[in-house]
Amino acid sequence: MKYLPINNEVFTHNRKNFVSRLKPCSIAIFNANDEFPRSGDQSFLFKQNPDFFYLTGIDQEQSILLLFPDCPNPLYKEVLFLRQTNEHIAVWEGHKYTIEEARVASGITNIYWLNDFDVILHSIINYAEHIYINTNENDRYAHTVPYRDIRLLESLRTKYPLHKYERSALVMRDLRVVKSDTEIMLTKKACEITRDAFVRVLKFLKPGVTEYEIEAELTHEFLRQRATGNAYNPIIASGKNAIVLHYVDNNQVCKDGDVVLFDFGAEYANYNADMSRSVPVNGRFTKRQRDVYNAVLRVMRAATKMIVAGTVLTEYQDEVGRIMTGELIGLGLLNKTDVDKQDPKMPLYKKYFMHGTSHHLGLDVHDFASRYKPFEVGNILTCEPGIYIPEEGLGIRIENNILITARGNVDLMADIPVEADHIEEIMN
Ligand code: GLY
Ligand code: MN
Ligand code: MN
């Protein structure tokens, strides 16, 4: 791992919260993510399962967490199983956690090698009634390949058909959405690294520079500051490329007179930043570009005010849509008469602003949360309105990350240049 060690208190606290919500006499089992083949004998860089990391702080493949707070044998109330390393693994893959290192990282005392998992589980499972398994219940996830937790569920159901199987995801969804001080600190770190990369890129950008050179600049800044890398494939979309919402080709030349839309963020210690900025390639917005830019910025400022405890996502999106509609009329893109006659189920603003304004942010970029639960203190959300005008070859999105507190909210990206004048000043 490139990031600095994290105090294990946060993981101990997370486990305590999790087990306090289990039914009596329950076992919960969490798996590390699978390793995915890339080609030939290579795997993709390992990415830890966010729930597993949240409960353990262990950033290593083939690990299992077993929680059984009512276990009659005190040795097995909280157990971590790790891949046992050997000389061959040490030579080819490098260092793996020792038992002592894993104790320090996780705060878990009882740690065994993975080979012991089946025997230990079998010795205690008949003293439990419920078995909690961690299925991926993110609304946007469709599983096509059975992952570790699903495979475990299938094998346990065969061996122990009369236990009652339960969903850990329902508990995790409520817990993960409220960020602790440590999580906020790590997200702030990801935002700071992202800020530095943006300022670096602003100084680098000029007509003739390619989108991939910009990607290289920002990734360089991420890595030199201990980020694992990009939180998601960075979008460096100049001119009309900005109309493609998930443009990741990043292979075109940035042309004089165009605006380039950046959407990138650093991943630090598995926590993510998610920032968008739209800047003129030559360092000066045209009048029209500035008008569209300022319209998006006004919508972002108005939307940010609504990101407070109690706000409901669907109502919030409708209200942002109304504000955006006013701006689009002001820009001559929509006509008031047409808007008055629009079908409320298909509001006209969606022609120019076709995505949601906000999503939760955390261990996942689109973090695991209920879309129907009102926002709470401790949530971190993005605020990312945009206007995309294909006929003008122009797309503008501005995106900041907002923490909800008991006294309103805090913009975690407040120190990242966003005013058109400020951006021009840095570029010139
Ligand atoms: N970068 C993905 C998003 O803004 O949601
Ligand atoms: Mn983004
Ligand atoms: Mn986003």
Side-chain angles (χ1 to χ4, degrees), residues 8 15 56-58 60 80-82 96-109 111 113:
N8 65 36
R15 288 192 298 277
T56 65
I58 293 292
Q60 185 170 288
L80 182 65
F81 296 89
L82 292 178
K96 301 286 164 188
Y97 289 105
T98 63
I99 300 272
E100 195 43 42
E101 284 167 347
R103 278 193 186 121
V104 172
S106 64
I108 298 171
T109 307
I111 302 186
W113 300 125

Side-chain angles (χ1 to χ4, degrees), residues 232 263 274-276 359 384 397 399:
Y232 47 90
D263 185 343
D274 182 5
M275 182 206 73
S276 302
H359 56 83
E384 49 180 309
R397 177 165 66 252
E399 174 175 24

Side-chain angles (χ1 to χ4, degrees), residues 16-78:
K16 200 167 142 227
N17 270 342
F18 175 78
V19 298
S20 76
R21 296 181 185 221
L22 299 180
K23 294 180 179 170
C25 232
S26 291
I27 286 183
I29 305 171
F30 287 82
N31 279 277
N33 266 346
D34 274 306
E35 298 145 90
F36 291 97
R38 183 163 171 218
S39 74
D41 60 354
Q42 289 188 68
S43 306
F44 282 102
L45 188 66
F46 178 70
K47 170 76 179 150
Q48 188 53 286
N49 177 286
D51 297 314
F52 189 86
F53 186 78
Y54 183 87
L55 295 171
T56 65
I58 293 292
D59 215 339
Q60 185 170 288
E61 69 287 351
Q62 299 178 33
S63 313
I64 300 179
L65 172 68
L66 187 155
L67 299 168
F68 185 0
D70 299 328
C71 185
N73 183 342
L75 267 186
Y76 302 140
K77 285 177 185 288
E78 183 179 82

